[in-house]
Amino acid sequence: MRLLSYYLEGRRFEWLITIAMLWLAVATFVSPEILRASAFQWVALVISPWFTACLLFAIGWTRLVGLLLNGHQVRGRRVGPMIRAVTAAACAVMWVQFDLALIQLSISQGFMSPGVPFWSMFVLGELDVAYRVVANGRTS
């Protein structure tokens, strides 16, 4: 139980987002129409669902590795925090794209999508993770 606490403590947001990313990637691989039939249709106009799924899977998997390596050293360097910071910044860019798609949908339908506040907060959460990891220079 202590080992599980070590990996989860202070990083629950990152774990939840990582699992959600991997889950959405698998769901998109199985059924690419989910992006075209949702508010993310605006994203699917520019980026194919297959590429989106690959991107979600690659960043999610890399982030998972960063979370597992957090606190460990590879050749005398702590790579986990560096991976976490880079993937948090990459996720912030992706979430901005999703948020913009929902904002565009909101404008066209005349009222705000309830997903806009969530994706906006995900962006801020990711930027906070990247900042804390880099600023603290520790395994927080």
Side-chain angles (χ1 to χ4, degrees):
M1 192 60 151
R2 291 187 81 184
L3 182 63
L4 184 62
S5 291
Y6 170 78
Y7 283 108
L8 290 178
E9 193 63 38
R11 295 178 281 282
R12 286 180 183 89
F13 173 80
E14 291 175 82
W15 278 104
L16 290 172
I17 294 295
T18 300
I19 292 166
M21 288 173 66
L22 293 171
W23 186 4
L24 181 57
V26 169
T28 304
F29 280 131
V30 171
S31 179
E33 295 79 29
I34 65 173
L35 291 184
R36 289 190 188 108
S38 70
F40 302 118
Q41 60 187 311
W42 303 107
V43 174
L45 290 174
V46 180
I47 303 171
S48 74
W50 186 84
F51 183 77
T52 302
C54 288
L55 195 60
L56 284 167
F57 187 79
I59 294 175
W61 189 255
T62 304
R63 186 176 214 171
L64 180 67
V65 169
L67 285 164
L68 292 173
L69 287 177
N70 199 55
H72 300 284
Q73 291 191 0
V74 175
R75 294 185 178 169
R77 301 198 74 163
R78 293 183 347 184
V79 295
M82 184 185 311
I83 293 170
R84 288 176 50 221
V86 169
T87 55
C91 287
V93 170
M94 276 195 311
W95 306 153
V96 162
Q97 298 300 312
F98 289 179
D99 199 25
L100 289 174
L102 287 175
I103 289 170
Q104 189 170 1
L105 176 69
S106 297
I107 291 169
S108 68
Q109 69 187 9
F111 57 91
M112 187 173 77
S113 167
V116 170
F118 288 96
W119 288 109
S120 299
M121 291 299 101
F122 290 164
V123 171
L124 294 177
E126 296 289 7
L127 293 174
D128 177 61
V129 167
Y131 173 77
R132 280 186 305 108
V133 170
V134 171
N136 294 339
R138 59 178 195 200
T139 60
S140 65

